Amino acid sequence: SCMGYTFDESAERADLIADITIVHEVEDDSGHVTYLAAVDTVWKGEQSRAIMFATHEETTACGLGRLTDGSSLLVWASGGEGRYSTTWCSLPTDGGPDDRERLTERFGEPADLSDQPVPEQRSAFPPVWLLIALPVAAVMGSTLVSVIALVVVLVLMRRRARRG
């Protein structure tokens, strides 16, 4: 039930058009799967070596399905600031094996990022000093202090996980 876009329409609508390689799965949330992906070449958009890349795990929901580590694909994605997603509907209806050549004609030579190291994914865990602060706060007394410390840890973990 995709509306379908031509090559030119898809190129115009996409925030990022790039060859990526899936490094590993980061999280699975309600059918949407997010991966750490290495960006190898970029025709359009952010030139960052690593991005968080999401799609639906079900192809019947227009997602790309489960992707395996090491899979390489040309993506036409939307998003920004290192977080992108795509569906089958983002792909051009008149696309094919010459898409990369057509992209180079339209946008020029792609930026080659493949010689750059892929940054490691940041840990979703808080710094050690915060893990120590929780029991210390609990020992020192009030439940309120413990609750505040717990909230701070959870907020920092959530922010760090979002930044990927």
Side-chain angles (χ1 to χ4, degrees):
S1 65
C2 293
M3 182 173 172
Y5 298 103
T6 66
F7 181 91
D8 290 331
E9 291 169 331
S10 292
E12 183 66 32
R13 294 175 56 84
D15 296 315
L16 177 71
I17 303 174
D19 276 317
I20 66 169
T21 301
I22 301 300
V23 176
H24 63 81
E25 183 177 321
V26 177
E27 61 186 66
D28 181 349
D29 180 34
S30 305
H32 289 88
V33 186
T34 303
Y35 303 92
L36 174 64
V39 178
D40 301 314
T41 53
V42 179
W43 281 271
K44 178 183 179 186
E46 179 181 355
Q47 294 184 18
S48 177
R49 181 63 168 128
I51 61 169
M52 301 306 288
F53 177 73
T55 190
H56 201 282
E57 71 177 330
E58 297 293 332
T59 56
T60 55
C62 297
L64 301 183
R66 287 269 177 191
L67 303 170
T68 58
D69 295 357
S71 299
S72 294
L73 56 151
L74 173 61
V75 296
W76 306 66
S78 56
E81 298 181 17
R83 297 189 71 81
Y84 294 90
S85 63
T86 197
T87 66
W88 282 111
C89 302
S90 300
L91 301 174
T93 56
D94 59 346
D98 63 342
D99 281 353
R100 288 171 180 79
E101 293 165 17
R102 292 171 72 185
L103 287 167
T104 300
E105 287 174 14
R106 181 179 175 112
F107 296 109
E109 286 297 320
D112 182 358
L113 309 178
S114 61
D115 60 343
Q116 299 176 16
V118 178
E120 299 244 351
Q121 178 192 5
R122 293 185 191 144
S123 171
F125 295 103
V128 172
W129 66 266
L130 276 176
L131 293 175
I132 294 169
L134 276 175
V136 169
V139 168
M140 291 179 69
S142 91
T143 304
L144 180 60
V145 172
S146 298
V147 169
I148 291 170
L150 179 61
V151 168
V152 168
V153 168
L154 292 175
V155 167
L156 289 173
M157 285 176 63
R158 186 168 180 93
R159 282 186 182 167
R160 189 171 273 195
R162 282 187 181 161
R163 280 188 258 167

